[in-house]
Amino acid sequence: QVQLVESGGGSVQAGGSLTLSCAASGYTYSSACMGWFRQAPGKEREGVAAIYTGGSSIYYADSVKGRFTISRDNAKNTVYLQMNSLKPEDTAMYYCAAKPNWYCSSGSFYKPEWYRYWGQGTQVTVSS
């Protein structure tokens, strides 16, 4: 049973930084596309970033390019999302997702329906 557990959310002021973590357990796959999504109240779930654990592919949504950085530590089965220069519009519940044994691609990384496993989310609130 694959489990994804997010942590690191919190409340910050605009311009601040947070680093989210997604720890995977029960994982027997050699590689996966790991994605970060966010969902604000009343809005659709939005793909933020994705990283392929078996290579160097990384993708970002235009809304976070230059501010967010996704990274991984395969030894710890953990994916990170470093968020800098946070804006009030970044306020949302942030979710980690996994698609085992698949490369990430620009055409699918942002689609929630493409992923197989999801975490419970961690709240990020940015005040102005």
Side-chain angles (χ1 to χ4, degrees):
Q1 182 75 16
V2 174
Q3 287 190 322
L4 303 176
V5 179
E6 303 95 336
S7 61
S11 297
V12 296
Q13 291 191 328
S17 298
L18 283 173
T19 299
L20 307 183
S21 299
C22 171
S25 61
Y27 216 75
T28 59
Y29 305 103
S30 60
S31 63
C33 178
M34 302 293 295
W36 281 101
F37 285 76
R38 65 186 181 185
Q39 189 167 20
K43 294 189 177 181
E44 293 186 352
R45 192 164 293 193
E46 174 191 17
V48 173
I51 187 168
Y52 177 53
T53 64
S56 58
S57 298
I58 290 177
Y59 298 92
Y60 294 101
D62 289 343
S63 58
V64 306
K65 278 181 182 177
R67 299 189 299 122
F68 290 10
T69 302
I70 190 170
S71 62
R72 56 180 170 83
D73 185 337
N74 288 354
K76 296 182 179 179
N77 281 341
T78 300
V79 174
Y80 305 94
L81 187 68
Q82 171 71 41
M83 305 185 296
N84 298 325
S85 302
L86 283 162
K87 305 175 181 180
E89 51 264 43
D90 294 318
T91 295
M93 185 71 78
Y94 282 71
Y95 298 91
C96 176
K99 176 80 167 182
N101 292 333
W102 279 87
Y103 296 98
C104 299
S105 74
S106 59
S108 59
F109 85 92
Y110 59 92
K111 297 179 179 179
E113 66 271 21
W114 188 74
Y115 291 82
R116 181 174 179 182
Y117 299 106
W118 289 86
Q120 294 299 308
T122 185
Q123 177 68 37
V124 172
T125 302
V126 185
S127 58
S128 58

